[in-house]
Amino acid sequence: MTNSRWDALPETPTLSSQGLDWGGILVERMCHTPSTGLNLPASGQHLVTLYLGSPLYLQQKRNGELHEGKHVRGDITIVPAGCSSQWQWQGDPDVLRLRFDSQFLLSLVDPAEQPSSGIKLTNQFVVRDRRIEQIGLMLLDELQSDSFGNRLCVESLRNLLAVHLLRCYSNIRKAEPNDSRRLSASQLRQVIEFINENLAQDLQLSDIAAVTNLSVFHFTRLFKQSTGVTPYQYLIQQRIAAAEQLLKLGKLSILEAAHQVGFSNQSHFHYHFKRLIGVTPKTILQHSKSLQKERKFLEK
């Protein structure tokens, strides 16, 4: 996916994903000056703001509607594309701004699921949403880290957030709570085979969804219904399982094994290995080498 063209806004972020290949979303940390205001013209992007700092008093005006009150860490506002907004505050705002390209959200949804009026997000002056907060903080962590992680990690976080917005804050018909639709057995088999055959590749969710001829939005939902985990979580599980088998052979270093199964970030590899296997990669490798020495000694 090519990078979106982001509308210029009248302030400079302290940290931004601009220039990174994060197609469809722009992540920015903003530390505004106190006792000032901001006028944001209507744009082609949806704006989600997550408040990170100390409490502040905020006044917002959108489409003639006024909202004012105290905002605290974890509060979230949503400004839909095409909606201008005016902001006045008292305090020192520290916020994470997530801007979604409207065409990107459109691309996630199968045409049959789209309303005739087009996809629209609802105007939210303040809402508490643990999932948006968690994903936003994980995207911020990726932005702040020395290594920005593999593409599927960022893409998965981006798409999880986008799908959540579409399900909970859009005019798309929501799935029924007892919705039990799943991938067919052949679709699931094809997806699993594709993932296992491409563990070392820099996969995108669109690549995996294409195997089933489903939209990313539809595929992500059905894969989770079918397996209990997201495509990204499944990929990580398979990569770690393959790395464990390589280390048990004792022929590769930890770095070589990590690269062979698609991990470019060593800290991510160690974290997920310990989380899923229960021990460090070093423990597995040392144990396999000890067994090899013992076998060689017995063979003498």
Side-chain angles (χ1 to χ4, degrees), residues 15-16 34 38 54-55 75 106 109 136 144 208 211 288-289:
L15 195 63
S16 174
L38 183 66
S54 55
D75 279 352
L106 192 66
V109 183
Q144 291 175 324
I208 305 174
V211 175
S288 64
K289 288 184 175 180

Side-chain angles (χ1 to χ4, degrees), residues 126-140:
V126 60
V127 66
R128 301 291 295 192
D129 190 309
R130 185 60 177 159
R131 177 163 293 187
I132 293 178
E133 182 179 6
Q134 288 176 332
I135 298 174
L137 291 176
M138 291 173 74
L139 284 167
L140 176 60

Side-chain angles (χ1 to χ4, degrees), residues 6-7 9 24-26 28 45-47 97-100:
W6 301 104
D7 296 327
L9 297 183
I25 188 174
L26 182 65
E28 302 170 311
Q45 286 96 41
H46 305 286
L47 171 63
R97 193 165 64 186
L98 308 165
R99 294 166 63 189
F100 276 98

Side-chain angles (χ1 to χ4, degrees), residues 289-299:
K289 288 184 175 180
S290 296
L291 290 177
Q292 288 178 357
K293 288 180 180 179
E294 184 178 338
R295 282 196 295 267
K296 288 180 180 180
F297 176 77
L298 295 174
E299 290 172 358

Side-chain angles (χ1 to χ4, degrees), residues 242-274:
E244 181 186 19
Q245 294 307 310
L246 290 173
L247 291 174
K248 284 182 176 180
L249 294 175
K251 296 180 180 180
L252 298 179
S253 68
I254 294 174
L255 181 62
E256 290 170 334
H259 283 170
Q260 192 157 320
V261 299
F263 279 96
S264 58
N265 186 304
Q266 292 305 298
S267 62
H268 285 181
F269 174 67
H270 280 264
Y271 167 75
H272 288 299
F273 196 99
K274 179 68 181 298

Side-chain angles (χ1 to χ4, degrees), residues 1-213:
M1 180 179 294
T2 58
N3 286 332
S4 301
R5 292 186 177 182
W6 301 104
D7 296 327
L9 297 183
E11 80 272 68
T12 303
T14 57
L15 195 63
S16 174
S17 66
Q18 182 78 284
L20 301 176
D21 188 16
W22 284 21
I25 188 174
L26 182 65
V27 180
E28 302 170 311
R29 185 165 192 172
M30 314 295 301
C31 295
H32 299 285
T33 55
S35 302
T36 59
L38 183 66
N39 292 323
L40 298 181
S43 77
Q45 286 96 41
H46 305 286
L47 171 63
V48 179
T49 302
L50 169 63
Y51 291 83
L52 302 174
S54 55
L56 66 126
Y57 180 83
L58 180 67
Q59 185 181 79
Q60 305 172 68
K61 188 176 182 180
R62 305 179 203 163
N63 295 335
E65 185 178 355
L66 180 66
H67 171 84
E68 53 187 332
K70 185 178 181 180
H71 283 232
V72 299
R73 181 180 177 87
D75 279 352
I76 292 157
T77 63
I78 301 176
V79 182
C83 178
S84 61
S85 58
Q86 295 79 45
W87 310 64
Q88 296 284 338
W89 57 80
Q90 296 175 10
D92 300 291
D94 180 7
V95 301
L96 184 68
R97 193 165 64 186
L98 308 165
R99 294 166 63 189
F100 276 98
D101 182 79
S102 56
Q103 290 301 310
F104 167 70
L105 288 188
L106 192 66
S107 72
L108 295 180
V109 183
D110 191 282
E113 296 179 306
Q114 296 177 17
S116 58
S117 60
I119 296 175
K120 299 176 183 178
L121 294 189
T122 58
N123 205 343
Q124 300 287 335
F125 280 108
V126 60
V127 66
R128 301 291 295 192
D129 190 309
R130 185 60 177 159
R131 177 163 293 187
I132 293 178
E133 182 179 6
Q134 288 176 332
I135 298 174
L137 291 176
M138 291 173 74
L139 284 167
L140 176 60
D141 184 60
E142 290 294 329
L143 190 58
Q144 291 175 324
S145 64
D146 292 332
S147 176
F148 291 105
N150 63 51
R151 186 165 58 177
L152 185 61
C153 176
V154 171
E155 186 192 31
S156 295
L157 292 172
R158 178 200 68 194
N159 283 13
L160 282 172
L161 181 54
V163 169
H164 181 69
L165 290 172
L166 289 169
R167 285 179 176 174
C168 300
Y169 302 99
S170 82
N171 58 337
I172 295 178
R173 184 182 63 83
K174 298 176 177 61
E176 296 298 324
N178 62 350
D179 186 357
S180 59
R181 288 177 294 171
R182 290 173 169 78
L183 295 172
S184 67
S186 62
Q187 285 177 319
L188 185 58
R189 183 178 65 254
Q190 290 174 333
V191 168
I192 290 174
E193 289 176 352
F194 178 79
I195 290 175
N196 288 334
E197 290 170 0
N198 294 277
L199 286 180
Q201 304 303 313
D202 193 8
L203 291 174
Q204 299 185 65
L205 279 173
S206 55
D207 297 328
I208 305 174
V211 175
T212 63
N213 294 317

